[in-house]
Amino acid sequence: MTAATPIIQPGQIEPPAGAIPYIYITPRDNVFRDRAARLRQLATGHVMQDFLLFMAELTDAQHAALATFPKVPLPTEAELSLCREHGMPPLSVQSWPRNPVWQETLKQIIAHVMPAATPAAGKILMRLQKMDSAALEAFATDILAGQFDDMDLGVAPFIAAALQVYWTHMATTLGAHAFGANDISNLCPVCASPPVSSIVRIGGAENALRYLACSVCNSQWHMVRVKCSNCESTKGISYFMIEGTSGAVKAESCEECGTYLKIMYMDKDPQVDPIADDLATLALDLMLDESGKLRSGPNLLLISTSAIAA
Ligand SMILES: [Zn+2]
Ligand SMILES: [Zn+2]
């Protein structure tokens, strides 16, 4: 490839690190709207149709909540600059003083999805409505810390959905330029959460580059391909897909640390979504689970305690 070639082809050497947009943040108006549309598309004829359609309702609720999200305190430019300098995520889910306004978002979400809830889901929502503010904060802390043991897994997706809206609001308000690289490359440089999956993007400066997709704030950050997103090994990486599919979603598994994470390819399907396509390919999780591999990052809309690496 000569310097005059403007486009990097898949499989060819990637541009030098300085030329790569390190963080990609999906436009605020698109993130949940596109995901809801994708969930509806994937639901058609799917064995988990009802579940995916309900997840689409939940994602609609997130979209509506994000559109009307109130002004909240954000890190100052001085704090952001210090974080960029030291490779620290400024909105770390562990240390950022969480604004209780996310509980209002949760109420909005509950009201939005209630009419679409099955009797079983309705019971879960009623259980959620009975939780007081302190219990909700404690629950949020456990979700964000990845402490899923003994968790009420029924109510968890709704609490996670509200937290995703709050963190997505902050990330999209500040914009990609506010954030630098994280010293810990397998955690989100915005909020320090693990990725839900990774995505090989098409178009623009991100073309053919692989990004890890945050499980909380919806930011995406660059990581070279054919490298374990958990332990960064480049040896013993293999790919699995469900037979008869387009291969737009695969599981990238690592022999070194015994984990896997799904990887999605926009060149095979430009509409792939890190969360929606993950939910629609549980068969792939079952396949990897049977081979003894553990997932290295959670999908907070469907937490499964058994299959997540500690
Ligand atoms: Zn994040
Ligand atoms: Zn690994």
Side-chain angles (χ1 to χ4, degrees):
M1 196 173 84
T2 67
T5 308
I7 296 167
I8 304 297
Q9 297 298 329
Q12 286 186 302
I13 193 159
E14 295 189 341
I20 292 176
Y22 181 66
I23 296 179
Y24 176 82
I25 296 185
T26 307
R28 183 184 173 95
D29 289 343
N30 291 77
V31 54
F32 294 118
R33 191 179 54 199
D34 292 355
R35 180 168 301 152
R38 178 63 170 175
L39 283 162
R40 292 195 167 90
Q41 191 184 29
L42 292 167
T44 310
H46 197 286
V47 286
M48 290 166 59
Q49 182 169 16
D50 292 346
F51 168 74
L52 294 172
L53 289 175
F54 187 66
M55 287 294 116
E57 290 291 328
L58 178 58
T59 309
D60 281 343
Q62 288 181 295
H63 178 69
L66 182 61
T68 58
F69 205 88
K71 218 169 154 66
V72 285
L74 294 168
T76 63
E77 184 43 48
E79 286 165 343
L80 290 169
S81 158
L82 199 67
C83 285
R84 282 194 298 268
E85 211 173 294
H86 294 280
M88 289 176 346
L91 293 167
S92 167
V93 290
Q94 309 299 331
S95 55
W96 175 252
R98 196 165 62 226
N99 192 298
V101 75
W102 74 270
Q103 295 196 14
E104 297 305 315
T105 304
L106 177 61
K107 282 183 196 150
Q108 266 179 277
I109 289 174
I110 294 171
H112 191 119
V113 299
M114 193 66 99
T118 58
K123 270 187 199 156
I124 291 170
L125 292 173
M126 273 151 65
R127 207 153 75 225
L128 191 51
Q129 282 172 321
K130 283 190 194 126
M131 289 172 71
D132 65 20
S133 183
L136 289 172
E137 288 301 337
F139 206 121
T141 298
D142 283 347
I143 288 181
L144 296 171
Q147 300 289 334
F148 305 137
D149 291 338
D150 308 319
M151 182 172 274
D152 181 341
L153 295 175
V155 305
F158 302 100
I159 293 176
L163 294 167
Q164 284 175 343
V165 172
Y166 170 48
W167 256 276
T168 303
H169 166 77
M170 293 192 288
T172 54
T173 302
L174 290 168
H177 64 276
F179 309 103
N182 187 355
D183 276 354
I184 306 168
S185 60
N186 62 354
L187 294 180
C188 175
V190 174
C191 78
S193 296
V196 56
S197 59
S198 77
I199 183 158
V200 178
R201 303 198 56 86
I202 52 168
E206 299 86 29
N207 194 53
L209 299 177
R210 188 262 285 269
Y211 287 78
L212 300 183
C214 183
S215 53
V216 176
C217 77
N218 284 297
S219 301
Q220 300 182 8
W221 68 102
H222 178 250
M223 181 175 275
V224 294
R225 294 164 73 165
V226 203
K227 184 179 200 176
C228 173
S229 58
N230 187 50
C231 74
E232 298 191 54
S233 170
T234 51
K235 290 191 210 98
I237 307 295
S238 39
Y239 296 87
F240 299 87
M241 59 183 270
I242 301 166
E243 254 179 81
T245 64
S246 68
V249 181
K250 291 181 183 171
E252 184 177 63
S253 101
C254 172
E255 285 306 322
E256 289 291 312
C257 68
T259 71
Y260 74 94
L261 199 68
K262 288 178 200 162
I263 179 164
M264 297 165 191
Y265 299 87
M266 287 177 78
D267 63 340
K268 294 206 169 69
D269 186 338
Q271 260 113 43
V272 281
D273 176 85
I275 286 186
D277 282 76
D278 180 48
L279 292 175
T281 52
L282 284 182
L284 202 48
D285 293 280
L286 295 176
M287 200 166 107
L288 273 289
D289 190 40
E290 275 168 22
S291 74
K293 293 280 193 307
L294 296 174
R295 254 184 93 112
S296 61
N299 188 326
L300 298 181
L301 299 188
L302 186 66
I303 295 167
S304 153
T305 48
S306 63
I308 294 182

